[in-house]
Amino acid sequence: MSKTFTGMAGVRSVERALRPKSIAIVGASADPRAFGNFVLQNLERFGYAGEIHLVSRSSTQINGRACVSSVDALPQGIDLAVLCIPEAGVLDTVRTLGTLGAGAAVIFASGYAEAGEAGRVKQDELARVAAAGGVALIGPNCMGFTNFADGVPVTFEAVAPYSNGGRRGVGVVAQSGAMAANLRDAFMGRGQPLTATVSTGNEANLGIEDYLAWFIADPQTSAIAIYAEQIRRPQLFLQLARDARAAGKPIVMLMPGKSARAREAAQSHTGALAGDHATASVLLAREGVVVVASLDELFDTATILARFPVPPAAGTAVMTASGAVKNITLDFADDIGLTLPPLTEATIAKLTELLPDYAVADNPLDYTTIGVRNPGLIGELIDTVLADPNIGSLVLSIMAGPAIAQRDKADHLVPALARATKPAVLTVMGDDKPLEEFFSEAIAASGVPLFRSPDRALRACARVAAYGEALARAERARTDQPAALPLPGAVPANGIFAEYQGKGWLARAGLPVPAGDLARSLDDALTIAQQIGYPVVLKAQASELPHKSDVGGVVVGLADAAALRAGWDKLHTSVAAQRPDLQLDGVLVETMGPRGLELVVGAKRDADWGPVVLVGLGGIFIEVLKDVRLLPADLAEQDIVVELNRLKAAAMLHGVRGSAAVDVHAVARAVAAIGEQMRANPALTEIDVNPLVAYPDRVLALDALVVCGAHGSAHGPAHH
């Protein structure tokens, strides 16, 4: 697939397309339900001030505008052509537009990559012809775009002008036309300013990255909302995410594909080839992209971050006049992982002065019924809570009440929230019951994000808090270029190093491993065991034998020389019986590690996205409960510790039922060391340490798999 317009060329192409000085509608029609007529009606409704050229085989004039009968008759240098024609005529039209120096074309027609291999071939040819003629393509299989800020609606759906009221807005990019419209309507429904909404379709050359770059450069855009079924240029997207973070422009993205059925649906929808969703999500989040799980979260989080683009790395405070809401909030926050931090002593002291004796100054804060007699006091409470350094955002959850109460809230609560410099949102419960018009108008004029559901407000604030934390983590992330250790040796044909090679290499990288060495004879084994001390374990070693226990290649608990001799014979007999063709490098003789807490630490390199590291507790926790944390490879040690404590079984790290706590920082150092080598050496595709045994004062890598080349994904973890 051609990607000619990557980088600044892409930004220039998007600029010419989204802010065109001249537009040609190819397939213009007087039929009120024809796509070409919808486009023309939209342009006239918005008062588009540029040149409009109409191409129609059936009409000589439409709405008093003259038509030409073919694309050849258009003037040179049209900025944007809108192709409202069937797929059969698209290729020749784009070829002609190239000869005329047209800047871009919107293609509504479907029947391309989303329709299967034959369609993909047609799309590739379309992209080739467009690139040869210098024509940037929006689509095919798209619904076009609407640039609200500049008054350019280029879509076959009837749209109305929408004013931002002088405020910066959200830019919307979606690979689905219906989702672009859905996002647009949702933001409009809550009065959120918009700059432009773009439906990218199949992305034959202009892709989501090009529009993202344009929105980052656009001074009118404050935040970017994305619906993406596939990121086709992951490394470029990650770089743009870094650019957006540096520009203070949050990206909030919904990316389906967790389930196999969702990945299959995306393939048929936009011709997307699904990547590793979990890996992509982790690396996007590392760059500050807020990857959400639902449409509600996409609308809600983008609305808050558009107003507060750089939230603090701190938890949320909740204020309410209801003890019931306080109790519900505590349970719900626990369920969604939203931190409700304690207030500082100074804040508690000030709140105690303001509140009646029967109120408790904590978080969530139930300020009781004091607002009935003194509504202005609630504003002072809001200011006090938001000034607390432990607090990064605030949810005020209230009932609307009668008209007099709504007047008080409009006069006192809304202004207090509006002057907040941290994310502060208003939840007016009562579901869809209408508010008094003056109350609704006061909220809208203030720009304070409004919710009618406390659950949605809290979920959004959880995402906002996580974004604040991501910004702080990005500042702490290891940006140095680590030195790559030389590989353990010549890369085997299957890419898998034998365990003794992998462990020796990991030891040089900073991971402790058991004392031991490779024995090529029984005498060697006896000598090594005498040097390191009994009891010992024997492990058969060969690149072709990553799963040693499956063929009897591991013998444990050998307490003395006699046991070692018997174990040596047992190991060789078993391996020879099951793998008679296998030539062993030797047998690894190691001290038996004492019992401890078994963890699994692994890393893999996604061919498109890059490396990630996985850590979790071993045994049932990883096999059945899937209790793992997937992390970016450059995460700082202190942040790895935070992630370890987010494991469901994190209590095991700190000692349960009489067992001692383990050295969590030693675990974090091991995870960081593996991540460092994945970053340093692009040849590495997989590292698996299973188990990494943690003790109160250290860790020990008892088994290890190190893989290079394209072979890592075909092999499961090594068996100790």
Side-chain angles (χ1 to χ4, degrees), residues 384-673:
T384 302
V385 171
L386 279 170
D388 191 306
N390 287 354
I391 301 304
S393 58
L394 172 69
V395 176
L396 178 63
S397 196
I398 60 173
M399 295 299 296
I404 187 173
Q406 293 190 44
R407 174 58 68 188
D408 288 340
K409 294 174 173 72
D411 291 345
H412 299 287
L413 274 62
V414 171
L417 294 170
R419 62 178 173 258
T421 56
K422 298 176 182 178
V425 305
L426 175 62
T427 301
V428 182
M429 295 179 289
D431 206 8
D432 289 335
K433 182 181 179 182
L435 305 179
E436 295 289 343
E437 187 175 353
F438 64 80
F439 191 22
S440 295
E441 289 176 352
I443 296 168
S446 73
V448 171
L450 171 66
F451 294 82
R452 299 305 302 269
S453 160
D455 294 6
R456 287 181 62 168
L458 291 169
R459 285 188 187 279
C461 281
R463 296 292 187 183
V464 169
Y467 178 63
E469 182 180 342
L471 296 180
R473 279 188 173 188
E475 293 296 318
R476 294 191 293 266
R478 292 171 293 156
T479 56
D480 60 304
Q481 185 54 45
L485 280 175
L487 292 173
V491 179
N494 65 357
I496 305 173
F497 288 100
E499 181 192 355
Y500 75 96
Q501 295 174 298
K503 284 170 97 169
W505 181 82
L506 286 170
R508 294 193 296 278
L511 266 74
V513 299
D517 207 346
L518 185 70
R520 303 186 188 276
S521 67
L522 176 57
D523 287 342
D524 285 350
L526 290 166
T527 300
I528 294 166
Q530 184 65 37
Q531 291 171 344
I532 64 178
Y534 290 97
V536 297
V537 57
L538 302 180
K539 300 182 185 180
Q541 297 293 297
S543 169
E544 295 83 5
L545 195 62
H547 304 297
K548 300 174 284 295
S549 354
D550 293 351
V551 296
V554 178
V555 184
V556 302
L558 305 176
D560 52 31
L564 190 153
R565 289 188 180 92
W568 182 272
D569 291 341
K570 177 182 177 182
L571 181 148
H572 282 86
T573 299
S574 178
V575 172
Q578 297 192 56
R579 293 289 303 273
D581 58 331
L582 182 64
Q583 179 68 42
L584 295 179
D585 293 357
V587 175
L588 182 59
V589 183
E590 288 184 333
T591 55
M592 285 288 295
R595 286 188 176 277
L597 183 64
E598 292 192 359
L599 296 99
V600 175
V601 179
K604 72 167 187 174
R605 184 181 309 281
D606 183 278
D608 296 319
W609 288 96
V612 289
V613 182
L614 175 147
V615 62
L617 273 67
I620 188 173
F621 295 105
I622 194 167
E623 292 172 12
V624 178
L625 302 179
K626 313 298 183 189
D627 185 18
V628 298
R629 304 299 295 179
L630 196 62
L631 314 174
D634 62 354
L635 204 59
E637 183 182 322
Q638 71 183 85
D639 293 314
I640 297 173
V641 171
V642 171
E643 291 296 325
L644 288 168
N645 285 314
R646 287 175 174 165
L647 288 164
K648 296 171 191 171
M652 301 284 289
L653 299 168
H654 304 292
V656 293
R657 295 189 176 181
S659 63
V662 303
D663 188 342
V664 177
H665 287 276
V667 176
R669 285 193 293 274
V671 173

Side-chain angles (χ1 to χ4, degrees), residues 175 226-231 252-258 262 276-282 284 290-294 298 609:
Q175 288 171 334
I226 296 176
Y227 173 82
E229 290 169 355
Q230 186 201 17
I231 304 300
V252 185
M253 182 163 75
L254 177 61
M255 182 175 60
K258 288 183 182 178
D276 187 319
H277 189 277
T279 297
S281 297
V282 165
L284 287 164
V290 185
V291 182
V292 298
S294 70
L298 181 56
W609 288 96

Side-chain angles (χ1 to χ4, degrees), residues 200-247:
T200 70
N202 289 12
E203 303 183 354
N205 55 29
L206 280 182
I208 208 163
E209 298 84 3
D210 299 294
Y211 304 106
L212 176 56
W214 185 82
F215 279 123
I216 292 169
D218 176 37
Q220 299 178 83
T221 299
S222 59
I224 303 152
I226 296 176
Y227 173 82
E229 290 169 355
Q230 186 201 17
I231 304 300
R232 291 179 168 84
R233 292 173 281 177
Q235 292 305 312
L236 176 59
F237 194 99
L238 292 173
Q239 179 57 57
L240 289 167
R242 289 189 282 275
D243 294 344
R245 195 176 72 233

Side-chain angles (χ1 to χ4, degrees), residues 314-355:
T316 299
V318 176
M319 290 178 54
T320 181
S322 165
V325 171
K326 174 179 179 175
N327 295 335
I328 292 168
T329 297
L330 286 166
D331 284 345
F332 189 72
D334 190 60
D335 289 343
I336 65 173
L338 173 62
T339 301
L340 302 176
L343 303 172
T344 63
E345 290 185 7
T347 301
I348 291 172
K350 185 167 183 181
L351 290 175
T352 301
E353 293 176 4
L354 299 172
L355 292 166

